[in-house]
């Protein structure tokens, strides 16, 4: 886990002396464990964790003006210097327009500016501390610093309405630790904080001018190619040297057993369009895309493509065939990783503590098995669906902009899937109602549903689309929460509705941004839970410039059936890749539901033991018997929302790991200086409101 942390004090010298760190409550010197100081007092900044040398860059204009960029950034030092000069006047958007995935911190006198990203994959957190403000790119270090307790209201909202920004607000699982929203920057002036958005806001009164589809797709291609090229141009890193042979094991098996990735660059190759696009782009662009000569398989310049073959469940045969056809490219070295019952979801409930909870915790071991055979720099297609596909609520956006004719093809596709002639009228009616429903009314409807425990929704593809045609909807785990927890979230939503007034953005755009933020947050949890030493996961679809280009795609284009595959096919054709296997980009009918149900069935007994005395029950969020009954029913094959059970189980796992940890993220502090110092006290009454 890697993060940066710093603070802004109210007066020069108030936070400590020199580079020794800050003076805590008891007069002790405070600084992060395992850190490297980027600049010192009065407003110090540290980089913590196993950062590579090229991932941390600091450019100075003078003693009072400097910029730090942490991560993969395609800007040159001269670009950083020009960006620093421009940022001295207060402008920050240009700091987020360089290719790559990074966090930029600018110091101009006593003003500190920390830029978050558009997707939410590189968040920024802050909390009041010692008369000023401490900030970090991880929430747990700040929670340790201020000895934060759990925010039970946030945990309830995380289960009751995880896709609703109004329910989660800017809170975190730690009381008093806040996050800045995606597309915003944290500005600190002598300890005082301000949250500033750096993206232009579209007008609601006037429809956006029609965009040229061809130019929009070309922009996606250019930004995606530049994102891949930026990573190929970065220095190559060889993991720690292999300590020696093991009888009966080859080099690849030895590395995987010891948790060491293969030197060089690789990519996922699942057979889907997103991972295939990145693998082919990375293999085809100049810049030594493959393994280093003299290391690993001796494959020279070929890119390592990793395919996961699940032997425990069936249904992905067509995708595996497409992956094999793509891997026939001589620029790729194909490795197939097989997994049986030991890689099913819930098979391995042990793992590291992550910064925040997320449903990926229950499948982390499954991903770790694949990534252990990957490269030191590994491309993944995460985020492509969220930035390219159309959320069903975008149908309402088309009605708002009076573009009804563009609804014909997506509605016809739903009608063919359902086989009913009534589908067009139902979908059009739901989209029309959403287009005419104010944001405030949408929050009030959700608050009423939670209070009255109304969770039944239509089934099937058409039912899912109809349910998504709303400003907000309950989470899949909401049905198992206690009445007190649901009432807490309902009251919170009512208060947010009263504060929101009548203004909001378009419902489809709003829902799409919320879905992207949730996916990016869960991907961050997955990276930490499935982390392989010396390995970096790259998700170019979540880069700022790629997200911007995808947001400029016309809604009329993205709502068409098969739009994502068509866009990525055009991207590959523009990059010179035209020989794609038959069926490439076809929607996969193999879902994760079969694997999740098989994993629940195999791990039913450990899960029942996990919820014999759950911490979630002590927090007043669930009743243990209700969750145990749900686990038994799901394992027996009853049609329950398995993603809701994943939310519950992952949150329980995270709480147990958090409370069982030893130590703290800071040195020089008393033993008590850690998050949740007194644990969870059993609660049977209504929840205490969060800060």
């Amino acid at each position: 886990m890697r993060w940066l942390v710093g603070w802004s004090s109210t007066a020069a010298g108030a936070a400590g002396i020199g580079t020794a760190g800050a003076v805590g409550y008891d007069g002790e010197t405070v600084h992060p464990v395992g850190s490297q100081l980027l600049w010192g007092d009065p407003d110090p900044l540290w980089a913590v964790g196993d950062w590579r040398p090229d991932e941390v860059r600091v450019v100075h204009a003078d003693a009072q003006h400097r910029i730090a960029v942490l991560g993969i950034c395609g800007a040159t030092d001269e670009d950083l210097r020009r960006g620093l000069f421009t940022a001295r006047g207060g402008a920050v958007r240009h700091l987020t327009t360089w290719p790559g995935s990074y966090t930029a911190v600018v110091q101009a006198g006593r003003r500190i500016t920390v830029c978050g990203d558009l997707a939410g994959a590189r968040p920024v957190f802050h909390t009041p501390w010692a008369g000023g403000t401490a900030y970090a790119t991880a929430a747990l270090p700040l929670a340790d610093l201020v000895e934060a307790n759990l925010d039970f209201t946030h945990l309830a909202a995380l289960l009751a309405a995880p896709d609703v920004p109004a329910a989660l607000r800017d809170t975190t699982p730690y009381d008093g630790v806040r996050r800045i929203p995606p597309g915003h920057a944290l500005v600190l002036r002598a300890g005082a904080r301000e949250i500033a958005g750096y993206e232009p806001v579209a007008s609601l009164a006037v429809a956006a001018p029609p965009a040229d589809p061809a130019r929009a797709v070309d922009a996606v291609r250019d930004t995606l190619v530049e994102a891949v090229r930026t990573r190929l141009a970065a220095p190559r890193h060889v993991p720690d040297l292999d300590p020696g042979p093991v009888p009966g094991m080859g080099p690849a098996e030895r590395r995987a057993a010891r948790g060491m990735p293969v030197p060089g660059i690789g990519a996922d190759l699942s057979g889907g369009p997103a991972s295939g696009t990145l693998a082919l782009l990375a293999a085809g662009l100049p810049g030594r895309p493959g393994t280093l000569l003299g290391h690993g398989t001796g494959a020279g310049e070929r890119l390592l493509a990793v395919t996961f073959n699940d032997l425990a469940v069936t249904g992905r045969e067509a995708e595996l065939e497409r992956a094999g056809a793509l891997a026939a490219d001589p620029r790729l070295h194909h490795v197939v990783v097989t997994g049986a019952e030991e890689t099913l979801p819930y098979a391995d409930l042990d793992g590291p503590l992550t910064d925040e909870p997320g449903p990926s915790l229950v499948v982390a071991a499954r991903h770790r098995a694949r990534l252990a055979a990957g490269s030191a720099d590994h491309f993944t297609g995460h985020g492509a669906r969220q930035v390219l596909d159309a959320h069903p609520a975008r149908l309402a956006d088309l009605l708002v902009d009076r573009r009804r004719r563009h609804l014909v093809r997506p509605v016809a596709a739903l009608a063919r899937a359902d086989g009913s002639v009534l589908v067009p009228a139902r979908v059009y009616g739901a989209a029309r109602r959403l287009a005419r429903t104010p944001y405030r009314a949408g929050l009030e409807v959700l608050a009423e549903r939670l209070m009255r425990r109304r969770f039944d929704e239509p089934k099937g593809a058409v039912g899912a689309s109809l349910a998504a045609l709303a400003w907000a909807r309950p989470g899949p785990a909401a049905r198992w929460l206690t009445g007190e927890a649901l009432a807490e979230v309902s009251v919170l939503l009512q208060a947010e509705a009263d504060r929101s007034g009548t203004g909001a953005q378009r419902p489809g755009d709003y829902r799409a941004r919320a879905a992207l933020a949730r996916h990016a947050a869960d991907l961050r949890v997955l990276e930490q839970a499935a982390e392989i030493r010396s390995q970096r996961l790259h998700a170019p679809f979540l880069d700022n410039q790629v997200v911007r280009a995808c947001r400029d795609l016309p809604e009329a284009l993205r709502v068409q059936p098969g739009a994502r595959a068509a866009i990525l096919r055009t991207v590959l054709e523009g990059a010179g890749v035209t020989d794609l296997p038959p069926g490439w980009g076809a929607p996969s009918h193999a879902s994760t539901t079969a694997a999740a149900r098989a994993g629940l069935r195999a791990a039913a007994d450990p899960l029942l033991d996990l919820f014999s005395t759950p911490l979630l029950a002590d927090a007043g969020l669930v009743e243990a018997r209700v969750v145990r009954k749900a686990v038994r029913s799901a394992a027996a094959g009853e049609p329950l929302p398995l993603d809701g059970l994943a939310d519950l189980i992952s949150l329980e796992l995270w709480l147990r790991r958090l409370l069982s940890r030893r130590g703290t993220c800071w040195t020089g502090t008393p033993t008590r200086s850690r998050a949740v110092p007194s644990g969870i006290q059993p609660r049977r009454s209504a929840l205490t409101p969060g800060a």
Side-chain angles (χ1 to χ4, degrees):
M1 184 173 171
R2 292 162 298 281
W3 40 281
L4 64 86
V5 62
W7 51 67
S8 177
S9 56
T10 55
I17 300 175
T19 61
V23 177
Y25 298 112
D26 296 337
E28 71 281 359
T29 300
V30 180
H31 59 271
V33 174
S35 61
Q36 55 174 312
L37 186 70
L38 301 184
W39 59 65
D41 289 327
D43 302 315
L45 177 68
W46 290 273
V48 186
D50 59 335
W51 292 96
R52 294 172 175 174
D54 59 287
E55 292 177 332
V56 180
R57 288 195 289 164
V58 181
V59 173
H60 297 258
D62 52 52
Q64 297 296 320
H65 297 84
R66 44 204 169 187
I67 180 173
V69 174
L70 291 90
I72 300 295
C73 180
T76 64
D77 287 351
E78 186 59 31
D79 292 333
L80 297 182
R81 191 169 288 106
R82 285 196 298 266
L84 172 59
F85 290 148
T86 306
R88 290 190 301 182
V92 297
R93 186 179 186 273
H94 66 284
L95 302 177
T96 68
T97 59
W98 296 311
S101 178
Y102 56 89
T103 301
V105 184
V106 173
Q107 182 184 50
R110 294 303 312 282
R111 187 181 69 217
I112 303 290
T113 303
V114 191
C115 298
D117 67 337
L118 289 176
R122 301 183 72 91
V124 178
F125 305 89
H126 62 92
T127 188
W129 184 70
T133 300
Y135 63 90
T137 54
L140 181 57
L142 298 182
D144 279 348
L145 186 65
V146 300
E147 300 175 359
N149 287 307
L150 291 170
D151 187 339
F152 295 106
T153 303
H154 176 86
L155 298 181
L158 204 59
L159 295 173
D163 295 323
V164 184
L168 299 176
R169 300 165 294 158
D170 63 344
T171 57
T172 68
Y174 312 101
D175 190 13
V177 178
R178 306 286 178 143
R179 85 173 69 234
I180 67 170
H184 288 69
L186 174 66
V187 182
L188 305 173
R189 294 180 177 87
R193 61 188 174 274
E194 174 189 355
I195 309 298
Y198 55 75
E199 285 294 283
V201 179
S203 171
L204 292 176
V206 181
D212 182 8
R215 290 187 178 180
V217 174
D218 287 346
V220 173
R221 179 200 62 210
D222 293 343
T223 56
L224 196 58
V225 169
E226 189 62 27
V228 174
R229 181 181 286 118
T230 297
R231 289 162 171 86
L232 293 180
R236 302 299 164 82
H237 294 271
V238 179
D240 295 338
L241 295 178
D242 195 335
V246 176
M249 283 190 178
E253 296 172 317
R254 194 163 62 238
R255 276 191 299 267
R258 289 169 172 166
M260 297 171 58
V262 177
I265 291 183
D268 285 339
L269 190 63
S270 65
S275 64
T277 297
L278 293 179
L280 293 174
L281 285 179
L285 291 175
R288 298 173 59 85
T291 57
L292 299 177
L293 289 173
H295 293 279
T297 62
E301 301 303 319
R302 292 194 293 171
L303 179 136
L304 179 66
V306 180
T307 299
F308 181 74
N309 183 12
D310 192 350
L311 302 179
V313 294
T314 59
R316 296 188 61 243
E317 290 77 9
E319 281 194 2
L320 292 175
E321 289 181 6
R322 287 195 292 270
L326 290 172
D329 190 315
R331 297 170 298 180
L332 297 177
H333 172 60
H334 195 208
V335 172
V336 178
V337 178
T338 58
E341 291 188 357
E342 70 277 1
T343 60
L344 284 172
Y346 310 101
D348 184 1
L349 299 181
D350 293 328
L353 172 65
T354 57
D355 191 42
E356 296 181 277
S360 288
L361 290 179
V362 300
V363 294
R366 185 178 181 84
H367 289 276
R368 194 182 303 116
R370 182 188 82 254
L371 296 175
S375 297
D377 289 277
H378 197 78
F379 285 94
T380 68
H382 287 287
R385 184 186 302 274
Q386 285 70 28
V387 298
L388 290 173
D389 284 11
H391 193 281
R394 286 193 183 273
L395 298 178
D397 293 359
L398 292 174
L399 292 180
V400 170
D401 294 338
R402 301 182 182 276
R403 299 175 183 173
R404 296 180 180 86
R405 63 186 180 89
H406 297 297
L407 273 69
V408 175
R409 289 185 60 192
V411 172
L414 285 174
R416 287 193 300 269
D418 188 78
S420 172
V421 296
L422 301 178
V423 168
R426 294 171 62 196
V427 173
Y428 180 82
R432 192 164 179 263
R433 283 193 300 273
L434 176 57
R436 296 185 174 188
T437 301
Y439 172 69
R440 175 177 181 174
L443 292 184
E444 290 174 345
V445 169
L446 176 59
E448 182 71 12
R449 289 188 64 181
L450 293 178
M451 186 68 75
R452 298 186 179 277
R453 304 185 70 92
R454 299 205 313 264
F455 306 120
D456 293 333
E457 292 180 344
K459 307 297 183 183
V462 174
S465 297
L466 292 174
L469 283 166
W471 278 106
R473 56 187 292 194
R479 66 191 65 224
W480 295 302
L481 297 186
T482 61
E484 291 87 350
L486 292 175
E488 185 76 16
V489 179
S490 178
V491 171
L492 171 64
L493 288 170
Q494 288 283 5
E496 291 294 315
D498 293 339
R499 283 195 290 266
S500 68
T502 58
Q505 52 190 323
R506 289 175 169 79
D509 187 61
Y510 171 84
R511 291 296 305 273
R513 291 174 188 248
L516 175 61
R518 190 189 183 203
H519 176 80
D522 193 45
L523 175 61
R524 180 170 173 262
V525 171
L526 176 63
E527 288 178 343
Q528 298 169 9
E531 185 176 25
I532 302 295
R533 183 182 177 186
S534 302
Q535 186 179 68
R536 296 290 187 272
L537 298 184
H538 301 284
F541 285 103
L542 298 181
D543 287 5
N544 282 343
Q545 288 299 81
V546 178
V547 171
R548 286 190 177 102
C550 293
R551 285 180 177 175
D552 289 339
L553 289 169
E555 290 178 344
L557 171 64
R558 69 166 78 234
V559 299
Q560 304 309 318
R564 173 161 43 108
I567 292 171
L568 293 179
R569 183 185 293 271
T570 305
V571 167
L572 288 175
E573 289 175 353
V577 180
T578 57
D579 189 15
L580 298 175
W584 185 88
S588 173
H589 299 288
S591 69
T592 58
T593 304
R597 194 173 296 281
L600 269 174
R601 191 182 306 114
D605 291 338
L607 293 177
L608 292 175
D609 293 340
L610 181 70
F611 282 93
S612 59
T613 55
L615 295 174
L616 288 174
D618 292 340
L621 300 181
V622 301
E623 293 184 18
R625 61 176 182 82
V626 173
V627 180
R628 289 198 298 269
K629 179 181 177 182
V631 171
R632 293 192 191 96
S633 300
E638 293 189 19
L640 294 177
L642 300 183
D643 47 351
L645 283 176
D647 290 342
L648 282 173
I649 294 169
S650 60
L651 183 52
E652 177 68 22
L653 290 173
W654 181 81
L655 288 174
R656 289 176 179 263
R657 294 173 189 176
L658 177 65
L659 297 185
S660 64
R661 68 189 284 249
R662 296 184 177 183
T664 175
C665 295
W666 301 85
T667 186
T669 63
T671 306
R672 59 177 175 78
S673 184
R674 52 186 292 183
V676 199
S678 58
I680 297 178
Q681 303 300 323
R683 303 163 62 86
R684 299 301 180 190
S685 58
L687 297 176
T688 302

